[in-house]
Amino acid sequence: MSVDKTSYKDKKVMSIGIISELTGLSERKIRYYEERKLIFPDRTGKGTRKYSFSDVERLMEIADQIEDGVQTYEIKKEMTKKQKRDERNKMIRGQINAQFNMRN
């Protein structure tokens, strides 16, 4: 039996209705954030959006920033910077681990 190593926080299993209830955001607003490339739900074969607990946390962060007056394009710009920084850090950690024959 194989064990799925994906964290429960990252498993995309919740519908947009549940996400709306959890976050207090309207389904329309959630879809808008997807259109703006701020969140990335999975889609089932029939096109139903599926979200994770990580998506809930991200949506709450977005909602807080919007409430503070931050524009969606600014949020996207910061997300892109963070992703690049995280990728660079992961690459550097990998190089260090390889150099010193270490594991995470």
Side-chain angles (χ1 to χ4, degrees), residues 44-57:
T44 65
K46 293 183 180 181
T48 303
R49 292 170 175 87
K50 291 294 184 175
Y51 299 86
S52 67
F53 284 106
S54 293
D55 292 325
V56 170
E57 291 173 356

Side-chain angles (χ1 to χ4, degrees), residues 88-101:
R88 186 181 66 240
N89 289 341
K90 185 176 180 181
M91 185 181 71
I92 290 169
R93 277 193 308 274
Q95 290 172 342
I96 291 169
N97 290 343
Q99 179 68 33
F100 294 102
N101 201 20

Side-chain angles (χ1 to χ4, degrees), residues 1-76:
M1 182 171 105
S2 69
V3 177
D4 186 359
K5 300 280 186 187
T6 306
S7 167
Y8 77 92
K9 289 178 76 174
D10 296 322
K11 290 185 180 183
K12 301 207 181 239
V13 296
M14 295 178 284
S15 69
I16 195 168
I18 292 170
I19 298 304
S20 178
E21 285 185 50
L22 289 171
T23 62
L25 298 169
S26 69
E27 291 183 18
R28 175 68 196 114
K29 191 162 281 195
I30 295 167
R31 286 190 294 270
Y32 173 74
Y33 294 150
E34 178 186 357
E35 289 169 15
R36 302 295 295 168
K37 307 271 189 254
L38 298 175
I39 57 167
F40 303 93
D42 283 352
R43 296 282 186 134
T44 65
K46 293 183 180 181
T48 303
R49 292 170 175 87
K50 291 294 184 175
Y51 299 86
S52 67
F53 284 106
S54 293
D55 292 325
V56 170
E57 291 173 356
R58 182 74 194 126
L59 284 164
M60 297 307 295
E61 290 170 8
I62 292 167
D64 287 345
Q65 289 177 304
I66 296 290
E67 193 173 297
D68 290 341
V70 181
Q71 300 293 316
T72 56
Y73 75 90
E74 295 171 300
I75 296 169
K76 176 65 177 166

